[in-house]
Amino acid sequence: MTNAKVRHILDTIAGMYPDARCELDHGNAFELTIAVLLSAQCTDATVNKVTKDLFEKYHTPADYVSVSREELEQDIRRIGLYRNKAKHIQSLCHLLIEQYGGEIPSAHDELVKLPGVGRKTANVVVSNAFDVPAIAVDTHVERVSKRLGLAAEGDSVLEVEKKLMKKVPKDEWTMTHHRLIFFGRYHCKAQSPNCQVCPLLDVCKEGKKRMKTSTVRRTRKSG
């Protein structure tokens, strides 16, 4: 893909979602880390409903480890995989207290050492809490990148991330991450993408294919 095509994609999505941002409610790096950990296989909207009460009850790592696992599980039970996540949260908090003075580390290499924190979570935290350029590849970013040809269909999540880092200017990494998420969440949806009104249809092979199939179906019905 040419640099001009990449620029066309980035500028178009920027025009659609100029104010894209992290939609997980949080007040600091610690709350963001907890929220992202909870968001695995769960919508941001559901996480925000749970963390509204959670963050009023728990403020520091010490607060999370001062209660029983069962109590924390009950506090987050509306979240998918809540038992596993409660375990990770308490393990993470113990480690923060023992090795990091109760603070979330700002270094990516240190973040991925925390229980329940993978590469994607670490990227979200460093970019949003510490202003370090990063591209976190979630299901929306992966889907959109592949549909628009920014990555290949068979690419792993890590390969998608590396290709985006190579094609997108570094100072645009974080904002592009947010805009790709918005584009995938509200426009280029998994099941019902808005191909018929998409300003990027010209560079989307899948979109063209969908539109062609739709046209054939309408022709057959009218015939």
Side-chain angles (χ1 to χ4, degrees), residues 210-223:
R210 282 175 179 269
M211 292 302 291
K212 186 176 180 182
T213 302
S214 178
T215 301
V216 170
R217 284 176 182 165
R218 285 199 302 271
T219 302
R220 285 175 179 171
K221 282 183 180 179
S222 61

Side-chain angles (χ1 to χ4, degrees), residues 113-131:
K113 294 177 183 177
L114 301 176
V117 176
R119 186 175 181 85
K120 184 198 81 172
T121 299
N123 282 345
V124 172
V125 173
V126 296
S127 61
N128 288 282
F130 300 110
D131 293 321

Side-chain angles (χ1 to χ4, degrees), residues 51-53 76 105 109 113 134 138 140 142 148 187 192 203 209:
T51 56
K52 186 177 185 297
D53 295 326
I76 64 170
D109 290 348
K113 294 177 183 177
D138 69 352
H140 299 297
E142 180 180 7
L148 295 178
H187 181 81
S192 303
V203 295
K209 190 176 177 182

Side-chain angles (χ1 to χ4, degrees), residues 88-158:
H88 283 318
I89 288 172
Q90 289 195 322
S91 297
L92 179 149
C93 289
H94 273 298
L95 195 61
L96 288 178
I97 293 168
E98 292 166 6
Q99 296 187 22
Y100 299 98
E103 300 292 331
I104 292 291
S106 59
H108 191 281
D109 290 348
E110 296 299 315
L111 277 165
V112 293
K113 294 177 183 177
L114 301 176
V117 176
R119 186 175 181 85
K120 184 198 81 172
T121 299
N123 282 345
V124 172
V125 173
V126 296
S127 61
N128 288 282
F130 300 110
D131 293 321
V132 176
I135 297 178
V137 179
D138 69 352
T139 181
H140 299 297
V141 175
E142 180 180 7
R143 179 177 70 254
V144 168
S145 297
K146 290 179 177 180
R147 283 180 175 175
L148 295 178
L150 293 168
E153 186 58 40
D155 283 348
S156 66
V157 170
L158 181 57

